[in-house]
Amino acid sequence: MPTSAQHPYHPIIYVRGFAGTQGEIEETVADPYMGFNVGSTKARMAWTGDVKRYFFESPLVRLMSDHDYGDVFVDGEDLVATDRPDCVIPYRSIVIYRYYDEASKDFGTGETPPIEHFAKGLGTLILRLRDKVCADPKNAMAAGNFRVYLVAHSMGGLICRAFLQNTSLGSEDARRAVDKVFTYATPHNGIDMRIVRNVPGWLSFGDANNFNRERMAGYLALPTGDDVSIVKNFQPERMFNLVGTNPRDYTVAAGLSAWGAGDASDGLVRIENATTHGPDANGKDVPSPRAFVNRSHSGQYGIVNSEEGYQNLTRFLFGALRADGFLDIDDITLPIEVYKELKAGKKVRSSYQFEIAVSVRGCQWQMTRQEVRENSAIFRTYDELFPGEEGSHRPPDRTRSPHLFSVFLDPSKSVKASGSVSFAFDLKVLVPDYEVDGLLFMKRHYEGGYILRELILVEAFPDPEAQGGWRIKYGYQDDNPGKPGIAAETRKLDGEEGIAIDIPIAQRASPGLKGTLRIEARPWS
């Protein structure tokens, strides 16, 4: 969606998460950046074998140093809020949506307005920012070309969605100005806890019922039901979901929250509730791009100030290429002993877990990681992959092909003069627990074994003569470490801009797998 000479750099509005108690609200409003300036210090082993401390500035601070953004606080004033005509706002600005000021006893009434009120306020802020930016001739920006990015944590993502999806909560002009939305650890499908399940609608303490699905359906303008993660009135492809998978470091309520949310969570939001989907331009339901990182919901070791979060954020906002990986499985064979039991007429059941980790060249941190031990591996049953009657020919269902990753790439970060972008993905298909007539089949079973494991490198070179403007190579780490040397044959994507390549894979021993790694690349802006 190129809109101006400034693209892809547009003003950024940060929208913070939930504050339940009056004390938390007062602590929040006392900080000009409402917590988005918090960094972290971590220890990891260096190449020397010594444990070294690493210091990570917050993403807000790094946007200022790496991408020439600036805040809007000058001499104690908020340039967006002030009416002084001499207070001009540069285009690359970071704005904090201070919606909790109204709920503060210091700055407001001490009464917390409903989430609908916050959503309307977001629209008002966008239009005010637009008018301020466009009033400065140095920005050379017409109101119709003005765009803004929304970056939100937790409940902040629901405020953004309410504003975008519910047309009664703001103007169309303000919604049209939103280019992309990045959400950290947002409970897009509500919050579920042990015992009570979904947060009940009657739980009004601190407005916790904002995470009740019936309440959410109301302010998100969706039908009441079990799925309120549907994005409407905004392209789901332009909303990124960063999902936390580490509940252990979330210490709120002395660990009670993490216990209630369970292992497959970030300590507050369950992994299954942290993503969105919705209809694309053709009406087809598509998932929003997402990444999984082993970080907790918030805190010093939380998802917002993580290195993985910053790398995903900046590439999603400023990158030029999106790459998606799929595993199209043609056949999965059984161990010989299990196959004999199947031929003998016994009922065999199996399910499969797929682990994936993706890294980009030149970056020490993985962009996304889904693992069994972090309760985030991709899960499919055999019947999902190959639906049909037992004993009949069962062709694969490609709609259930595991979607392994979405990664965004930025040629401006290339470490090569060619401007190429490159990433690697480590794929593992784990050996399942086979069931024969309802009993686990443990013969020759070794926990942690896998049917297939491949570390594959992909490099894309900008080439105006190539199909889609990119020439692609791939390779296997085992064959040629660090150098993808196989020229890929590209094909056009059906009905949309972009190209795809197919990488054949085969593990011929039993149990084994035969299929294709399908990589789709689309221009991104």
Side-chain angles (χ1 to χ4, degrees):
M1 189 191 296
T3 55
S4 69
Q6 300 272 12
H7 194 80
Y9 295 101
H10 301 300
I12 296 172
I13 296 178
Y14 270 86
V15 188
R16 69 150 286 134
F18 180 65
T21 67
Q22 193 64 41
E24 289 173 344
I25 290 173
E26 301 302 340
E27 184 180 359
T28 293
V29 301
D31 180 352
Y33 302 101
M34 291 197 156
F36 285 115
N37 54 319
V38 176
S40 63
T41 303
K42 290 186 170 55
R44 66 180 296 186
M45 186 173 289
W47 69 272
T48 59
D50 299 323
V51 175
K52 179 182 176 182
R53 281 184 294 174
Y54 286 78
F55 301 91
F56 296 107
E57 299 167 300
S58 74
L60 183 146
V61 173
R62 292 180 68 183
L63 283 166
M64 296 178 182
S65 59
D66 295 351
H67 296 280
D68 296 325
Y69 274 84
D71 63 18
V72 293
F73 302 128
V74 177
D75 295 331
E77 285 199 82
D78 180 344
L79 300 185
V80 180
T82 184
D83 290 321
R84 286 174 49 189
D86 61 322
C87 291
V88 296
I89 299 177
Y91 196 69
R92 290 195 199 184
S93 290
I94 295 175
V95 177
I96 309 298
Y97 178 28
R98 297 182 56 87
Y99 64 86
Y100 267 129
D101 281 358
E102 292 182 66
S104 164
K105 290 181 178 179
D106 288 338
F107 303 131
T109 64
E111 298 292 327
T112 304
I115 198 169
E116 291 90 340
H117 180 81
F118 296 151
K120 288 180 181 179
L122 178 57
T124 301
L125 175 62
I126 290 171
L127 293 181
R128 185 173 180 85
L129 177 61
R130 181 197 67 182
D131 294 344
K132 287 268 188 178
V133 165
C134 295
D136 184 358
K138 292 181 181 178
N139 290 325
M141 180 61 57
N145 291 333
F146 174 86
R147 293 293 183 269
V148 67
Y149 296 136
L150 303 180
V151 179
H153 174 233
S154 193
M155 189 183 78
L158 299 180
I159 292 172
C160 295
R161 284 184 57 203
F163 159 68
L164 291 168
Q165 296 184 213
N166 192 333
T167 56
S168 69
L169 302 180
S171 73
E172 186 58 33
D173 275 356
R175 282 190 290 274
R176 193 183 304 115
V178 178
D179 188 285
K180 297 171 188 168
V181 180
F182 188 98
T183 67
Y184 295 94
T186 290
H188 287 294
N189 198 39
I191 289 179
D192 289 298
M193 290 286 174
R194 298 178 200 256
I195 304 173
V196 298
R197 298 294 296 165
N198 186 219
V199 171
W202 49 260
L203 186 61
S204 59
F205 172 75
D207 291 325
N209 59 357
N210 282 332
F211 311 114
N212 170 265
R213 279 188 274 276
E214 185 173 353
R215 167 89 174 98
M216 291 174 67
Y219 62 72
L220 294 174
L222 293 171
T224 302
D226 292 332
D227 184 8
V228 290
S229 63
I230 304 167
V231 175
K232 292 186 176 179
N233 206 36
F234 188 77
Q235 297 177 55
E237 307 98 311
R238 301 186 77 79
M239 181 175 293
F240 192 100
N241 311 139
L242 192 64
V243 182
T245 63
N246 175 17
R248 294 177 299 280
D249 285 334
Y250 192 61
T251 58
V252 169
L256 185 61
S257 171
W259 174 85
D263 291 332
S265 74
D266 62 11
L268 180 63
V269 180
R270 292 188 180 179
I271 294 171
E272 63 185 1
N273 288 338
T275 57
T276 54
H277 65 102
D280 65 8
N282 299 316
K284 178 186 175 183
D285 188 77
V286 297
S288 297
R290 70 277 310 260
F292 299 79
V293 297
N294 194 226
R295 302 294 173 193
S296 64
H297 187 75
S298 64
Q300 292 290 334
Y301 297 95
I303 194 168
V304 175
N305 54 23
S306 67
E307 180 69 9
E308 301 96 325
Y310 180 73
Q311 298 298 339
N312 277 291
L313 171 69
T314 53
R315 285 169 170 80
F316 175 71
L317 295 185
F318 313 134
L321 188 69
R322 171 179 172 171
D324 288 86
F326 303 84
L327 177 58
D328 291 331
I329 302 172
D330 296 320
D331 188 30
I332 299 181
T333 59
L334 298 170
I336 294 173
E337 294 89 344
V338 177
Y339 184 70
K340 287 179 179 177
E341 299 285 359
L342 178 67
K343 296 299 287 183
K346 295 185 179 180
K347 186 171 287 188
V348 173
R349 290 285 179 268
S350 59
S351 57
Y352 297 86
Q353 299 197 79
F354 305 85
E355 294 189 337
I356 185 74
V358 181
S359 56
V360 296
R361 183 178 59 201
C363 180
Q364 289 182 293
W365 303 87
Q366 292 169 333
M367 303 298 290
T368 184
R369 185 173 75 204
Q370 294 180 260
E371 293 187 347
V372 168
R373 64 180 176 177
E374 294 169 3
N375 300 293
S376 58
I378 302 167
F379 178 86
R380 293 287 188 275
T381 66
Y382 182 86
D383 289 343
E384 286 177 309
L385 295 169
F386 299 93
E389 296 293 327
E390 290 188 26
S392 66
H393 174 64
R394 299 166 68 168
D397 180 358
R398 291 295 185 234
T399 66
R400 299 299 294 161
S401 290
H403 183 181
L404 303 174
F405 58 81
S406 297
V407 62
F408 295 85
L409 303 164
D410 187 350
S412 71
K413 297 179 183 294
S414 178
V415 297
K416 290 196 172 183
S418 65
S420 69
V421 289
S422 182
F423 64 95
F425 59 96
D426 187 6
L427 171 66
K428 289 183 277 186
V429 183
L430 275 67
V431 173
D433 294 330
Y434 299 100
E435 232 181 53
V436 177
D437 280 351
L439 298 175
L440 281 176
F441 192 88
M442 302 301 290
K443 293 180 181 178
R444 291 199 342 179
H445 177 83
Y446 297 92
E447 188 63 30
Y450 47 84
I451 296 174
L452 174 83
R453 181 172 187 178
E454 291 284 6
L455 179 60
I456 295 178
L457 316 175
V458 179
E459 186 169 9
F461 300 82
D463 184 349
E465 302 299 320
Q467 186 166 235
W470 294 91
R471 181 167 43 86
I472 299 179
K473 289 185 176 182
Y474 70 90
Y476 303 90
Q477 177 74 3
D478 288 347
D479 296 339
N480 199 3
K483 291 184 179 181
I486 303 172
E489 183 177 337
T490 62
R491 67 175 190 281
K492 284 192 65 176
L493 292 176
D494 292 336
E496 59 178 312
E497 192 176 2
I499 56 176
I501 67 169
D502 293 328
I503 302 175
I505 57 170
Q507 168 57 270
R508 303 192 185 280
S510 294
L513 182 148
K514 180 182 178 183
T516 301
L517 285 164
R518 171 168 44 101
I519 311 297
E520 298 180 352
R522 296 169 174 82
W524 183 249
S525 64

